[in-house]
């Protein structure tokens, strides 16, 4: 086989990419399997062994957890980022990082192609490929689920299971529980299979990152999160004498304590960029805690009109990330504006975590815009109540 037929496959060892690895080799490609460690619970040695056993030229596994937190999750926290008000973008934020590293592997390996296992109906194909083309305009992308010779041969998961059995490919799922999962340090998402019925409740045992809130501890955890320039720099659990200051450690701890209390479960229907509605179930414990805390300290320290503009940028950022435009000029501009707005977002938020809930207990900041004397009902301060009458009359004119 010629060097010109070398492809870097984004490989997870799951049903789709395990099949695609063998299928690409059948088509005459030399396959370099690539896996990003972004915090998923994975036996990476087993994945490497599996890829090599079934014909991969080599297996490249990169630890991207630190980059994921600092370069992708932290900007999302600054933006209080959601898509359609509820989805915290766990998968969407990971895709540009995976694509960036995949292109670097392709360049290092001298590969002219990259390939992925994303479905032809979903968002991930868009995110992977927009990232790939933005960073390497001449790269060629192989998307098997959009190739007639692939999807006519494999009409669904039953055909993939049959193919895997014929080739002796071991799989982590069964036909009885065939929902699709995407896991990383920020979240786990579940879709497909029985979940495609939007009224079908999540099967027992589906959730892996969080405790059922009804079975969560009866004793809450009280934590403090310190922010500087809109990003967390310290998490403290005084009762348990726990303090975390490194970004990755902070996020891992918030996932742990949030998961213990059943925080961050969402079951929703969303509008995919490609034009259809889909049902997804998500667990995002650490992200849910951080968005609640950051929103609180942001309102406490930021000018009202600045935040009004900033919130429109937050929504645009969420849309841009969800739709795969991380590397676009508009998303770079949005991120830079949001980062600028965070210069004085600094302080400490106290929170109680209890049975699925995140409860704000208090906040303090050296840069607070809160004036206790001015707002007090007991002290007039430097404020003349009669001025409010004119203010009201002027605002009533148009009414």
């Amino acid at each position: 086989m010629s060097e010109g037929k070398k492809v870097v496959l984004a490989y997870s060892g799951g049903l789709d990419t395990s099949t695609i690895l063998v299928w690409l080799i059948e088509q005459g490609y030399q396959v370099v399997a690539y896996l990003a460690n972004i915090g998923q619970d994975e036996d990476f040695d087993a994945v490497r062994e599996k890829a090599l056993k079934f014909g991969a030229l080599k297996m490249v596994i990169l630890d991207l957890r630190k980059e994921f937190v600092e370069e992708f999750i932290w900007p999302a926290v600054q933006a209080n980022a959601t898509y359609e008000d509820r989805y915290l973008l766990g998968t969407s934020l990971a895709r540009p990082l995976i694509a960036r590293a995949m292109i670097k592997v392709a360049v290092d390996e001298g590969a002219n192609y990259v390939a992925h296992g994303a479905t032809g109906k979903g968002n991930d194909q868009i995110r992977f490929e927009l990232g790939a083309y933005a960073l390497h305009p001449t790269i060629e992308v192989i998307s098997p689920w959009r190739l007639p010779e692939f999807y006519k041969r494999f009409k669904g998961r039953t055909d993939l299971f049959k193919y895997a059995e014929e080739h002796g490919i071991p799989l982590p799922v069964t036909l009885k529980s065939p929902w699709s999962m995407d896991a990383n340090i920020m979240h786990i998402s579940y879709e497909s299979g029985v979940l495609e019925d939007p009224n079908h409740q999540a099967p027992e045992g589906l959730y892996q990152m969080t405790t059922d809130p009804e079975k969560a501890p009866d004793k809450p955890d009280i934590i403090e999160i310190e922010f500087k320039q809109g990003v967390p720099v310290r998490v403290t659990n005084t009762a348990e004498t726990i303090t975390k200051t490194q970004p990755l450690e902070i996020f891992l701890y918030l996932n742990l304590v949030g998961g213990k209390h059943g925080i961050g479960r969402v079951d929703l229907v969303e509008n995919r960029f490609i034009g259809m509605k889909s049902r997804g179930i998500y667990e995002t414990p650490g992200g849910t805690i951080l968005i609640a805390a950051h929103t609180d300290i942001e309102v406490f320290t930021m000018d009202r009109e600045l935040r009004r503009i900033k919130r429109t940028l937050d929504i645009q950022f969420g849309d841009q990330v969800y739709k795969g435009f991380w590397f676009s000029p508009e998303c770079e501009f949005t991120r830079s504006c949001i980062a600028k707005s965070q210069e004085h977002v600094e302080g400490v938020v106290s929170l109680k975590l209890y049975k699925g809930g995140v409860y704000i207990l208090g906040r303090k900041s050296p840069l607070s815009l809160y004036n206790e004397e001015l707002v007090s009902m007991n002290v007039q301060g430097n404020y003349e109540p009669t001025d409010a009458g004119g203010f009201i009359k002027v605002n009533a004119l148009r009414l």
Side-chain angles (χ1 to χ4, degrees), residues 52-64:
L52 296 175
K53 177 181 177 180
F54 289 96
L57 199 63
K58 65 189 293 187
M59 179 80 214
V60 179
I61 300 175
L62 302 177
D63 188 347
L64 305 178

Side-chain angles (χ1 to χ4, degrees), residues 303-334:
D303 175 77
R304 181 187 69 184
E305 296 306 314
L306 170 58
R307 190 166 190 273
R308 189 188 302 273
I309 295 171
K310 188 259 181 185
R311 284 300 291 149
T312 66
L313 294 174
D314 291 348
I315 294 168
Q316 290 182 41
F317 173 77
D319 279 3
Q320 290 160 359
V321 173
Y322 184 84
K323 295 173 180 176
F325 288 102
W326 180 275
F327 297 108
S328 68
E330 66 270 25
C331 191
E332 291 183 4
F333 175 76
T334 304

Side-chain angles (χ1 to χ4, degrees), residues 332-350:
E332 291 183 4
F333 175 76
T334 304
R335 292 199 303 274
S336 68
C337 291
I338 291 171
K340 173 69 176 174
S341 77
Q342 300 294 291
E343 289 179 345
H344 300 128
V345 179
E346 178 178 325
V348 177
V349 181
S350 301

Side-chain angles (χ1 to χ4, degrees), residues 56 160 163 217 241 254 284 376:
L160 291 181
Y163 182 84
T241 62
L254 291 176
T284 318
S376 173

